[in-house]
Amino acid sequence: MRYMDFYGDDKMEFRLAVLQDLAEIKDMYKQIIENMNKQDIQIWDDIYPCEFFEEDIKNKQLYVLLNKNGMIVSAFVLHDAISKENTITWSDHYAKALYVDRLGVNVKCLKKGIASLMLNKAKEMAKTLGAEYLRLFVVDINKPAIQLYIKNGFIKADGVYDEIFDDGFVLHEYGYEIKII
């Protein structure tokens, strides 16, 4: 699926990722992780999210955005099941919802509207797949992401999901949603 990019003059391509994209996707996310760590947003590491992308591709859940030169500039996962969804009080818990996960933007392309563009693509895909809501989880310390979601019309739901790791480290995640139908 091609469309005009944020500048209005270059063609960008939005599509499902394929296994041939895997190395480039992992490299892009490693750079994203380094950038996040520099900002003291230490929520991703060598295992998450990179070790999940191959399965995401095989399940046809990982979408990518490529610039006119074929470089991947952004990616996200869109799926329908998430185990932590019951910890949040959603607007309509029984409505069909899809979840956007692992949204990332190439560090060479930050501050150009790509993340907002990808959220719009996620909304379009979710609507096409019959969802009434697009939902996501975001770690409480990821202030730039929270601002992005609010700017794009997502509303914070009540509740917090606490992900507790073996070493006792805890990530507090908020749920955000937007009605798309």
Side-chain angles (χ1 to χ4, degrees):
M1 180 180 313
R2 293 194 175 272
Y3 58 94
M4 301 302 272
D5 78 354
F6 44 89
Y7 295 117
D9 58 353
D10 293 329
K11 297 288 183 180
M12 305 275 279
E13 181 182 3
F14 176 78
R15 62 169 171 78
L16 278 168
V18 294
L19 284 175
Q20 293 85 342
D21 297 324
L22 188 58
E24 185 178 355
I25 291 167
K26 284 185 174 184
D27 183 56
M28 180 180 82
Y29 275 82
K30 286 177 183 173
Q31 292 175 34
I32 292 168
I33 292 165
E34 285 178 28
N35 188 49
M36 289 172 69
N37 287 341
K38 288 177 189 172
Q39 297 177 53
D40 282 330
I41 305 172
Q42 299 175 348
I43 55 177
W44 287 353
D45 57 26
D46 293 338
I47 297 169
Y48 185 86
C50 293
E51 293 305 313
F52 292 82
F53 291 134
E54 185 171 352
E55 193 69 24
D56 293 333
I57 291 170
K58 288 177 181 175
N59 290 330
K60 298 188 182 314
Q61 298 175 326
L62 180 60
Y63 293 86
V64 292
L65 181 69
L66 293 81
N67 69 9
K68 68 178 180 176
N69 298 320
M71 179 180 80
I72 296 173
V73 297
S74 187
F76 67 78
V77 173
L78 188 65
H79 55 94
D80 62 0
I82 202 155
S83 60
K84 54 193 169 188
E85 70 184 60
N86 292 327
T87 62
I88 302 296
T89 304
W90 302 109
S91 294
D92 182 348
H93 186 73
Y94 299 102
K96 181 174 180 184
L98 289 177
Y99 293 81
V100 67
D101 208 0
R102 302 191 267 286
L103 172 63
V105 175
N106 191 313
V107 295
K108 298 172 188 167
C109 304
L110 294 175
K111 305 290 183 194
K112 295 182 178 178
I114 291 176
S116 292
L117 184 74
M118 289 297 272
L119 287 173
N120 285 332
K121 296 308 289 179
K123 289 179 213 173
E124 288 175 22
M125 293 305 302
K127 187 173 184 176
T128 298
L129 295 169
E132 297 174 65
Y133 285 89
L134 182 63
R135 295 179 176 149
L136 56 87
F137 284 85
V138 60
V139 177
D140 63 347
I141 62 170
N142 195 347
K143 303 295 185 206
I146 291 170
Q147 291 171 351
L148 169 73
Y149 302 137
I150 292 169
K151 179 180 111 181
N152 281 277
F154 284 79
I155 297 169
K156 185 176 181 278
D158 290 334
V160 176
Y161 173 75
D162 287 333
E163 186 162 348
I164 304 168
F165 295 88
D166 292 338
D167 63 1
F169 183 73
V170 179
L171 287 178
H172 308 287
E173 297 183 52
Y174 300 137
Y176 280 81
E177 66 181 348
I178 189 166
K179 189 167 176 74
I180 52 176
I181 289 185

